[in-house]
């Protein structure tokens, strides 16, 4: 991929092709969100109904907003803060729109802080798989290995540090270098192992139970906040709402079709998440495990599957190595916006900017590390007092739970909502038409969804969660 062409400012790279952009954006989208977070949040929210709403959110909210993010980024060719400001000024709107970029960058810091800790768990599993630590273990024993890992803050900090150092090193050199190979070969390989695991779970008696759990809605297990969680999952998994995709869009050459590239990225992401769920849940049911056990779900189920496979230790090692790469290609997209802002706007040295941002993220990550051990007993409950409605924002959540909730379920959808409102209501229609270069029919479809369906859906889901419908007596 290119470094510094003469037609672009010296600090900026450009993807050399549409394919390079697809690879980078897929690298951002596909990560721990698909393989760690999607199965565990699905488990906590009862399965089928959650999956159904998640898929609806991907199509009605995610894809249209993703197109909007890419479009804004490519139009302004800047980092998210300056993109929002420049475009707002161009369209005679308030420069305060830059706050969307700022909130996105804050969300990115917070997300990466726990993302890196979980990526550390993945790294910690590589030597354990390689050394056949799980060989012959049953579910209880595998769980005890995981519990031992997360109860040890020193080990967690060590792995978290390794992951952050690697992320900073890549971002410091500029996102283009090496990224393409990591995505082009490793993502298909990761998917290949998922397929192998899928073929294995097909042989389990519990496969049907897993399938039913994932695709037959059971609204009795559906909790009030499940709808919000499903929407948050769609944003998180597609890397939306914080400017990562906007950033990558700013590196997309003019002339590449935004709609087609976006759909390829979103579909690949969704397929990988569903595949991961289809692999995990049959294993859960075969071993009488708890689907709602929380963030440890893949770490306690997958080793059991690799135990049953021929050459399981080898395939398992490879799987965790590939997953670590998938995590890093996502992590760099979280760190790139603040770094690009410091480089482009404050004229910092790229490496220095990457180190500073990485340091802040590392510190924040300690909160997540301690949430599983030293601070495990500190749990907060927070009420939101809106006069007539008292809404329970969260109950009994650790620091990690709170940061995860606030970022995925609040900041990302809010960022996405503002991006949709800006692109669809404040930008001139001609600016959008010009940038997307779609035929009339497809443009109108996208424009309609982005103007009316996506923002209304986000607002309704927020209001529903806060209980406003309850208050108005609209539902019981
Ligand atoms: N989408 C990534 C995953 O599924 C995580 C991620 C990368 C992300 N960049 C993001 C999430 C930006 C939200 C916003 O693992």
């Amino acid at each position: 991929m290119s470094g510094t062409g003469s037609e672009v400012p010296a600090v900026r790279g450009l993807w050399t092709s549409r394919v390079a952009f697809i690879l980078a954006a897929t690298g951002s989208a596909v990560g721990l969100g698909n393989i760690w977070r999607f199965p565990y949040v699905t488990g906590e929210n009862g399965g089928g109904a959650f999956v159904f709403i998640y898929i609806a959110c991907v199509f009605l909210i995610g894809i249209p907003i993703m197109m909007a993010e890419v479009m804004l980024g490519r139009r302004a060719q800047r980092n998210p803060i300056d993109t929002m400001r420049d475009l707002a000024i161009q369209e005679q709107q308030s420069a305060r729109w830059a706050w969307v970029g700022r909130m996105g960058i804050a969300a990115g810091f917070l997300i990466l802080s726990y993302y890196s800790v979980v990526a550390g768990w993945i790294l910690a599993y590589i030597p354990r798989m390689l050394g056949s630590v799980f060989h012959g273990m049953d579910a209880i024993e595998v769980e005890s290995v995981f519990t031992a890992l997360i109860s040890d803050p020193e080990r967690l900090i060590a792995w978290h540090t390794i992951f952050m150092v690697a992320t900073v090193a890549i971002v410091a050199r500029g996102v283009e270098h090496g990224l393409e190979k990591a995505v082009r070969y490793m993502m298909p390989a990761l998917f290949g192992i998922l397929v192998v695991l899928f073929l294995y779970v097909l042989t389990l008696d519990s496969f049907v139970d897993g399938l039913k759990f994932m695709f037959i809605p059971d609204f009795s297990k559906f909790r009030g906040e499940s709808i919000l969680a499903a929407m948050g999952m769609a944003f998180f998994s597609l890397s939306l709402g914080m400017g990562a995709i906007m950033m990558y869009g700013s590196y997309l050459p003019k002339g590449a079709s935004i709609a087609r590239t976006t759909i390829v990225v979103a579909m690949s992401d969704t397929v990988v998440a569903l595949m991961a769920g289809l692999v995990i849940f049959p294993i859960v049911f075969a071993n009488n495990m708890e689907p709602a056990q929380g963030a440890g779900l893949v770490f306690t189920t997958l080793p059991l599957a690799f135990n049953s496979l021929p050459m399981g230790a080898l395939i398992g090692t490879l799987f965790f190595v590939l997953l670590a790469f998938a995590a890093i290609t996502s992590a760099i997209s979280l760190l790139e916006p603040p770094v690009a802002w410091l480089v482009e706007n404050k004229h910092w040295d790229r490496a220095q900017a990457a180190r500073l941002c990485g340091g802040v993220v590392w510190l924040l990550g300690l909160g997540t590390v301690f949430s599983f051990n030293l601070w495990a007993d500190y749990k907060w409950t927070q009420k939101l007092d809106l006069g007539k409605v008292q809404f329970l924002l969260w109950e009994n959540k650790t620091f990690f739970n709170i940061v995860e909730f606030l970022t995925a379920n609040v900041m990302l959808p809010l960022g996405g909502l503002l991006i949709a409102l800006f692109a669809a209501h404040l930008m001139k229609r001609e600016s959008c038409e010009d940038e997307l270069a779609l035929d009339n029919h497809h443009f109108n479809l996208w424009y309609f969804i982005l103007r009316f369906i996506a923002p209304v859906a986000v607002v309704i889901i927020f209001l529903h969660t806060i209980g406003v419908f309850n208050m108005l007596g609209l539902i019981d």
Side-chain angles (χ1 to χ4, degrees), residues 25-38 69 104 107-108 111-112 114-115 232-245 248 269 326-327 329-335 337 407-408 412:
T26 310
S28 168
V30 176
L32 301 179
N34 308 64
I35 288 164
W36 158 69
R37 197 163 184 271
F38 176 77
E69 269 203 39
I111 292 172
L112 187 53
Y114 61 84
Y115 203 85
M233 191 64 232
F235 275 94
F236 187 95
S237 190
L238 295 171
S239 300
L240 290 183
M242 59 76 57
I245 293 294
Y248 279 14
D269 183 71
T329 57
S330 299
I332 58 182
S333 77
L334 287 159
L335 203 59
T407 50
L412 297 181

Side-chain angles (χ1 to χ4, degrees), residues 160-223:
H160 166 51
T161 308
I162 293 174
F163 186 80
M164 275 317 297
V165 167
T167 305
V168 166
I170 297 178
V171 173
R173 298 176 58 207
V175 283
E176 304 99 284
H177 298 288
L179 187 66
E180 182 162 358
K181 279 203 193 65
V183 182
R184 191 186 289 262
Y185 300 107
M186 293 184 191
M187 292 291 170
L190 182 69
F191 189 71
I193 299 188
L194 273 181
V195 171
V196 170
L197 286 169
F198 179 71
L199 294 176
Y200 158 72
V201 298
L202 270 180
T203 68
L204 299 176
D205 292 337
S206 60
F207 178 71
V208 181
D209 301 323
L211 201 62
K212 280 189 191 153
F213 181 78
M214 274 203 41
F215 293 112
I216 298 187
D218 175 357
F219 284 93
S220 68
K221 292 207 204 96
F222 203 63
R223 302 179 303 163

